[in-house]
Amino acid sequence: MAVSGAIFSTDMLEYAVSGGRKLVQGLTVDFPAGAISALIGHNGSGKSTFLKMLARQILPTSGKDTFGGKPLAAIGSRDYARHVAYLPQDLSAAHDMSVRELVACGRYPWHGALGRFTAVDKAKVDEALDMTHTEQLADRAVGTLSGGERQRAWIGMLLAQDSKCLLLDEPTSALDLAHQVEVLTLVRRLCDEKGLSVIVVLHDINMAARYADRLFALKAGRLVAEGTPSDLLDRHILADIYGIAMEIVTPPGLGLPLAYVR
């Protein structure tokens, strides 16, 4: 359940590329703390660009963004990494590392490149392996894992980072249905058990509605709708977001509405 207050807030945030084309424009958003917030919308709607700005991978062209009420630009890099962990789409690196070595990389913001790996660091790594159920994979090379196992290992690295906020960019995009459920169930459990705040980019509206507390819909770089899954699972709203006719059904015993293309 979400706690009061916003973990991230943006005010008229924009990002433009050469030629002045705006990939993100006028975004004023409050992301609730202690909840899973899903960014939804079609390809090219600005979801990943928005997340990269929150992760400080790219700088906004204009507007304001804050974390915990403090401007992002005023927070030191190491301090920010201790609070916010980012998982990009491209996870092609680290194939030759063991799972334990990958997860241990999450401790870098706490001891730096030349710092000593302490008992506290080891305990955090062991806890992350346990929470992601990757203990038995600890000595395996990352490149030998299945898609779902690999995603759990990377999420383990974020947990070892001991951050209170996770930014996940399409963590299920290359996974089959079973592994999508596996990864999102893990994210949901971590949010509930550790009180983490999560902002995740998802393409599947039904997965977003099932696992997120709040949905934020982008279209052409603008926020066009936000609310609970029940609020946004409306055929008129979805038609505006995705530009196609959709219908909503609530299967018996599920308790959640589902959207499908008409």
Side-chain angles (χ1 to χ4, degrees):
M1 179 177 291
V3 297
S4 59
I7 189 75
F8 276 103
S9 293
T10 68
D11 182 17
M12 295 301 293
L13 202 68
E14 299 198 337
Y15 182 75
V17 293
S18 57
R21 185 168 69 92
K22 294 181 179 180
L23 303 184
V24 166
Q25 46 188 328
L27 288 184
T28 299
V29 180
D30 291 322
F31 290 105
I36 297 179
S37 299
L39 295 173
I40 62 171
H42 56 72
N43 289 341
S45 60
K47 304 183 299 299
S48 292
T49 300
F50 187 20
L51 198 74
K52 286 178 181 177
M53 285 192 285
L54 299 182
R56 301 207 313 190
Q57 301 297 302
I58 57 176
L59 296 177
T61 306
S62 62
K64 299 177 181 179
D65 47 12
T66 63
F67 175 79
K70 191 173 183 179
L72 265 65
I75 306 174
S77 297
R78 180 173 290 187
D79 190 29
Y80 195 67
R82 290 177 175 181
H83 288 86
V84 179
Y86 169 61
L87 190 68
Q89 291 184 40
D90 183 7
L91 300 179
S92 58
H95 277 206
D96 295 329
M97 297 177 69
S98 72
V99 170
R100 183 178 294 276
E101 288 170 337
L102 173 63
V103 173
C105 289
R107 298 305 299 162
Y108 178 82
W110 298 92
H111 57 66
L114 302 178
R116 186 170 62 89
F117 198 79
T118 67
V120 172
D121 294 319
K122 183 180 184 303
K124 292 294 184 182
V125 170
D126 289 341
E127 179 186 20
L129 290 169
D130 177 64
M131 292 204 71
T132 54
H133 301 295
T134 51
E135 314 99 310
Q136 295 182 344
L137 305 173
D139 296 323
R140 291 263 305 274
V142 173
T144 68
L145 304 179
S146 70
E149 290 170 339
R150 190 177 302 118
Q151 289 294 69
R152 284 192 284 126
W154 280 96
I155 292 173
M157 186 193 73
L158 303 191
L159 291 178
Q161 195 170 325
D162 210 22
S163 302
K164 298 304 180 186
C165 181
L166 307 183
L167 305 178
L168 310 176
D169 193 355
E170 298 188 37
T172 61
S173 62
L175 302 181
D176 59 35
L177 184 58
H179 285 127
Q180 289 180 43
V181 171
E182 175 187 16
V183 169
L184 292 177
T185 298
L186 170 62
V187 172
R188 179 75 264 174
R189 178 169 62 83
L190 293 172
C191 178
D192 293 339
E193 293 180 2
K194 293 181 69 70
L196 299 181
S197 304
V198 180
I199 303 174
V200 56
V201 172
L202 291 172
H203 275 298
D204 190 321
I205 180 61
N206 290 318
M207 285 293 188
R210 178 174 178 179
Y211 290 98
D213 299 294
R214 198 160 186 85
L215 307 181
F216 297 83
L218 271 60
K219 184 176 183 180
R222 296 183 181 276
L223 183 71
V224 294
E226 70 170 282
T228 65
S230 296
D231 292 335
L232 264 64
L233 280 179
D234 173 273
R235 64 189 183 93
H236 300 293
I237 294 175
L238 293 180
D240 183 48
I241 295 170
Y242 293 105
I244 56 175
M246 301 184 73
E247 292 292 345
I248 308 297
V249 295
T250 303
L254 183 60
L256 282 173
L258 294 175
Y260 66 95
V261 177
R262 189 163 65 190

